Amino acid sequence: MPDRGGGPPGPRMRAGRPSRRTRTLLMTVGVLAVLAIAFVMFAGFWTDWLWYRSVHYSSVFTTTLWTKIGLFFVFGLLMAAAIGVNIYLAHRLRPPLSAMSVEQQSLDRYRMGIAPYKKWALLAICSLVGLIAGASASSQWRTWLLWVNATQFGTKDPQFHMDVAFYAFDLPWFRFLLSFGFAAVVLSLFAAALVHYLYGGLRITSPGGRATAAATGHLSFLLGLFVSLKAVAYWLDRYSLAVKAGNLKSSNWTGLRYVDANAYLPAKTILFAIAIICALLFFATLWRRTWSLPLIGFGLMVLSAILIGGLYPAIVQKFQVQPNEAAKETPYIQKNIDATRKAYGIDSTKVTEYSGTSASAKQTLRNDADTTASVRLLDPNVVSPTFQQLQQTKSYYAFPSTLDVDRYTVAGKEQDTVVGLRELNVKGIPQQNWINDHFKYTHGYGVVAAKGTSVQSNGSPDFTESDLPAKGELGDYEQRIYYGEQTKQYSIVGDSSTKEIDYTDDNGEKSYTYTGNSGVGLKNPVTRAAYAVAFGEPQIFYSGAIGSDSKILYNRTPKERVEAVAPWLTIDGDVYPAVVNHRIVWIVDAYTTSNGYPYSSRTTLGDTTADSLTNGQRAVLAQQNQVNYIRNSVKATVDAYTGKVTLYQWDKADPVLKTWMKAFPGTVQPKSAISSELMAHLRYPQDLFKVQRQLLTKYHVTQASTFYSGSEVWQVPDDPAAKTGKSVPPYYLSLKMPGQSGEAFSLTTTFTPNRRDNLGAFMAVDADATSSDYGAIRLLKLPSNTTVSGPQQVQSLFNSDPDVAEKIRLLKGGDSTVEYGNLLTVPLDGGLLYVEPVYVRGAGTNYPLLKKVLVHYGDSTAFENTLGEALDKVFGVDGGTSTSPPAGTTTPPANSTVAQALDDAQKAYDAGQKALKAGDWQAYGVAQKDLADALKRAKDAEQQAQKKG
């Protein structure tokens, strides 16, 4: 037909096929997509490698990486080979001619359809299962490293007399191998059966024999392997009884009980023997070519599992254990008590009977109150807003909502000190943009510290280190804070063309260029592109603000830095700062844990370490991690300027740490490398203490009969001040426990009897790392037939006392609010002294000041301006015998100059508040400067008076 279009005839396109241009475009898009995905994967790998290299822990990265790669390929190839070999054998063993049946004729279409692609199909199936198996195996890198580097505990379980290392390191790896073997056999069995069916080796509906001899032998062999693995599982189950949970009255118990030792254990042994016989019967079909005996054996094994493995133990439990459970279970409960106490490090707890009442004379009690404890009135959980108001200086600085307690030497005397760092607050940057957020505002500045046992006359903290730049008792140190708890964004620093804001004083902004050796250089454009992809920020790649000397700082919180360089450690939720050797360092407590300590009860760390403070600033320890062994085996430091991470071996006897040190040699420094300056600031960690105190609510009992009855169970009381329904947090406090010669920096808590509010016990651990008694746990156990008031009852007494209530009402006058500080408990001459600071937020202010102190002892309660006055009233005598002011008193004016300076400070403060309400920022700034000058004059005058004295 003629072309009606008027144009020359052209080639006719096939319907439905895209044009060459379209195909080229699609191919290009596909290639670009693959390249983009590959670069994203490369960016993650490359930036990780650069970061580990920058912190000098590249061996952690390479060891972990090569372990994962090795496990991936070994187990991936093993799984692929197992499936591939069985598919190949099933195909080779197919019958030469398929039966002439409707079933086989319908399968012919499938056989013919896959015939041209058999090799590709086999390769695809093997690759898929190999990738899945390899990925699963690579996640077991910790299990592999623990097994191959296992260190003996030197302690054997009481049932099988195997070293604890077998349960902690060996058994998990054997279990993984067993599960991998089951997966390989089951998948091989399924694949082989499918191929045999497809090629006529197995028939379902056809008349005659259901399987050829070759198919019967092949599948019987695989079934024999499955039953053999089941026999191995039965044998391992015997040992798993020592670490299985869910026994007796608690799902957290592990270890054998009476029914386990006398029913389950022999049942597993019998089932192991039956499984071996059954497996041999399956293997025998290679010669006998009949299913009868294997099926009989398999049926016998299933029936035995039901009768011997299930019914028999139930009968023993019902008719032997339950009628006399206490007597039957006593030996096994004792094993649980002994193992749990040892696994959690509470086996050396010293329990002392404590009367809870005192017969001492009132004057003696008053005198001893000054020397028994340095009562910390400055509550780190309350005074953060006060630090913020008086020492923030700029909106782009901030203090954590919960401050820390440490020890510093002030005027030649060690002093409990409340410490906070002036960290960078990105939300407070005046004008937020990419340059300001990541180039200009890069770091915090300075330490702010205050005495824990005294305050100024107006209730504000008695600062020993303050102002910006900070000055005071800590001497000279590097004050810039590039790494901190609140420093979570990345910063790009180090290039002199882009100046950072250092701090601001009366002369304006001070600029700075980072000179530390941390961070990753961005000179290489490939590196910049990788970080642009990794952080999802294209400007990193093309921004002109990045020079040849620029470095990127990230992973900046101490917790995530330690977790990254030591992924085998569990990190304490409370990281705290200290000034050590003229540098600010973050001190991080880290734990090694295990879930395989036989007979030891398990605990969920997240639940155990939660208290009234963990819903805010402070984190909980490993939220869902269940363990039954824990050690504070590592003390780590992170330099606040350079970000340098140093790990120190703290527990030299811990076999778990020794195992990890063999897996990652050179990453952990010996304990001897800890300097004396750092040692002075190390302390007993809170989260370990909380785990131990939770265990001690039950495991302070060492006799199985008493443990079984539950008559001596305690509980950790709820925080009476917070009213959150959560446990009271432990408190750091310098005190003298009965039997000690002097005060020791300690971590303390209280217990109440189960479902009661009276005091059951007082617990303290020596928290000073320089002490020879470091870690010694002391329990003061009160008689069960007395009703000494517990924290909740004391708080109720405070609230219901008419005199206290009237004074609280007056404090609340003028829209002021009252806040209660930590309710501290101090053992004193056989009785218990309770002290609680009371803070007031005045109308128009947004920070608390210490105004009153509540004290309770015996049947007496006092609510006075100072701790000394409250103690005088409680004991009915005047003052103590010491020549120095009682611990916890407010600091009185030294002379008229101090008084005048404090009066000027109050006026400046009032003027500042008035300007703040009016929104007059210039006047507010002048008032703040006057306030700082007045406080400085007061402090200088007081120091001068002390020198003259």
Side-chain angles (χ1 to χ4, degrees), residues 47 50-51 520 522 527-536 540 552 554:
T47 53
L50 291 175
W51 185 85
V520 178
L522 296 176
T527 300
R528 291 174 62 172
Y531 277 103
V533 170
F535 290 170
I540 295 178
I552 186 168
Y554 62 105

Side-chain angles (χ1 to χ4, degrees), residues 100-301:
M100 297 302 294
S101 65
V102 176
E103 179 184 16
Q104 290 302 312
Q105 288 175 3
S106 65
L107 292 173
D108 283 342
R109 294 194 303 272
Y110 297 104
R111 289 195 291 265
M112 293 174 62
I114 66 172
Y117 310 106
K118 287 190 293 186
K119 292 182 179 180
W120 291 107
L122 177 62
L123 181 62
I125 292 172
C126 293
S127 298
L128 179 62
V129 296
L131 288 172
I132 295 173
S136 176
S138 66
S139 66
Q140 299 294 321
W141 64 272
R142 288 181 174 87
T143 308
W144 160 260
L145 288 176
L146 286 172
W147 178 67
V148 78
N149 296 286
T151 301
Q152 298 294 292
F153 276 68
T155 300
K156 295 183 178 181
D157 78 282
Q159 180 66 42
F160 302 103
H161 307 292
M162 303 285 287
D163 192 273
V164 173
F166 172 79
Y167 301 94
F169 306 139
D170 299 342
L171 192 57
W173 178 248
F174 296 156
R175 282 292 184 187
F176 164 71
L177 292 179
L178 186 63
S179 63
F180 178 84
F182 272 123
V185 171
V186 169
L187 290 175
S188 297
L189 185 61
F190 176 78
L194 184 62
V195 173
H196 280 301
Y197 174 70
L198 185 61
Y199 286 95
L202 287 178
R203 294 183 291 277
I204 298 176
T205 61
S206 301
R210 299 298 185 185
T212 63
T216 300
H218 185 193
L219 297 179
S220 295
F221 179 78
L222 290 175
L223 287 170
L225 288 179
F226 178 85
V227 178
S228 298
L229 291 174
K230 188 61 180 174
V232 176
Y234 282 134
W235 188 257
L236 290 181
D237 284 346
R238 299 168 69 255
Y239 299 104
S240 296
L241 290 172
V243 290
K244 79 167 187 176
N247 291 293
L248 207 59
K249 295 183 177 182
S250 172
S251 60
N252 292 326
W253 282 48
T254 65
L256 287 80
R257 299 297 176 262
Y258 182 88
V259 71
D260 297 315
N262 295 278
Y264 279 110
L265 186 57
K268 295 293 183 182
T269 306
I270 294 171
L271 289 172
F272 165 76
I274 293 174
I276 291 294
I277 295 171
C278 187
L280 293 175
L281 292 176
F282 273 109
F283 291 139
T285 57
L286 290 172
W287 296 274
R288 293 180 59 85
R289 307 295 186 181
T290 177
W291 290 93
S292 56
L293 286 178
L295 291 179
I296 293 173
F298 188 76
L300 176 61
M301 187 178 75

Side-chain angles (χ1 to χ4, degrees), residues 411-707:
K413 180 182 179 182
E414 189 173 83
Q415 167 78 45
D416 289 359
T417 306
V418 176
V419 179
L421 297 193
R422 194 183 287 111
E423 292 194 54
L424 179 66
N425 174 28
V426 176
K427 294 181 180 178
I429 294 175
Q431 184 174 348
Q432 287 191 272
N433 53 58
W434 190 65
I435 293 296
N436 278 349
D437 291 354
H438 300 288
F439 289 80
K440 290 291 187 181
Y441 295 90
T442 59
H443 59 278
Y445 208 101
V447 176
V448 176
K451 294 179 181 179
T453 56
S454 63
V455 295
Q456 297 287 350
S457 59
N458 67 343
S460 64
D462 185 7
F463 292 111
T464 58
E465 185 79 8
S466 58
D467 299 334
L468 184 67
K471 52 185 177 292
E473 301 290 341
L474 301 184
D476 294 329
Y477 60 95
E478 175 56 66
Q479 298 192 21
R480 298 174 182 89
I481 304 162
Y482 280 87
Y483 296 88
E485 288 184 287
Q486 306 304 309
T487 315
K488 299 177 181 178
Q489 81 289 351
Y490 68 88
S491 290
I492 298 176
V493 300
D495 192 82
S496 58
S497 62
T498 306
K499 296 290 186 180
E500 307 165 44
I501 294 176
D502 203 22
Y503 64 90
T504 305
D505 60 12
D506 295 338
N507 298 320
E509 289 182 353
K510 303 292 184 181
S511 61
Y512 183 72
T513 300
Y514 182 69
T515 59
N517 58 3
S518 66
V520 178
L522 296 176
K523 183 177 181 180
N524 189 321
V526 175
T527 300
R528 291 174 62 172
Y531 277 103
V533 170
F535 290 170
E537 181 48 72
Q539 293 187 77
I540 295 178
F541 180 66
Y542 58 76
S543 175
I546 300 177
S548 58
D549 295 328
S550 294
K551 297 187 290 186
I552 186 168
L553 311 180
Y554 62 105
N555 289 351
R556 298 172 70 182
T557 68
K559 185 176 186 292
E560 64 185 345
R561 291 181 79 79
V562 176
E563 283 178 333
V565 303
W568 62 89
L569 293 174
T570 300
I571 308 302
D572 190 274
D574 184 27
V575 177
Y576 61 99
V579 177
V580 178
N581 294 323
H582 308 292
R583 306 192 71 85
I584 300 173
V585 296
W586 293 96
I587 299 176
V588 184
D589 284 289
Y591 308 102
T592 47
T593 62
S594 176
N595 198 24
Y597 198 102
Y599 281 92
S600 174
S601 290
R602 291 191 173 96
T603 184
T604 303
L605 294 180
D607 297 337
T608 307
T609 58
D611 58 33
S612 62
L613 299 179
T614 54
N615 56 352
Q617 173 70 25
R618 189 165 293 165
V620 296
L621 178 66
Q623 185 70 43
Q624 299 301 324
N625 194 12
Q626 268 209 338
V627 305
N628 66 355
Y629 171 90
I630 186 170
R631 289 290 185 272
N632 176 213
S633 54
V634 171
K635 302 282 189 182
T637 62
V638 177
D639 192 292
Y641 182 75
T642 66
K644 180 182 178 182
V645 181
T646 308
L647 307 176
Y648 297 102
Q649 181 184 16
W650 184 249
D651 189 338
K652 296 190 289 186
D654 178 30
V656 181
L657 178 60
K658 291 179 179 179
T659 298
W660 284 120
M661 289 175 67
K662 286 196 287 184
F664 297 92
T667 56
V668 181
Q669 303 300 313
K671 187 175 183 178
S672 58
I674 300 176
S675 66
S676 58
E677 291 84 358
L678 174 59
M679 187 71 76
H681 294 280
L682 299 182
R683 67 189 191 190
Y684 202 82
Q686 290 193 52
D687 282 341
L688 176 61
F689 183 80
K690 286 188 280 188
V691 170
Q692 290 174 325
R693 76 171 177 178
Q694 187 62 45
L695 268 295
L696 281 169
T697 58
K698 295 181 180 179
Y699 288 93
H700 65 278
V701 173
T702 57
Q703 297 299 319
S705 56
T706 307
F707 189 96

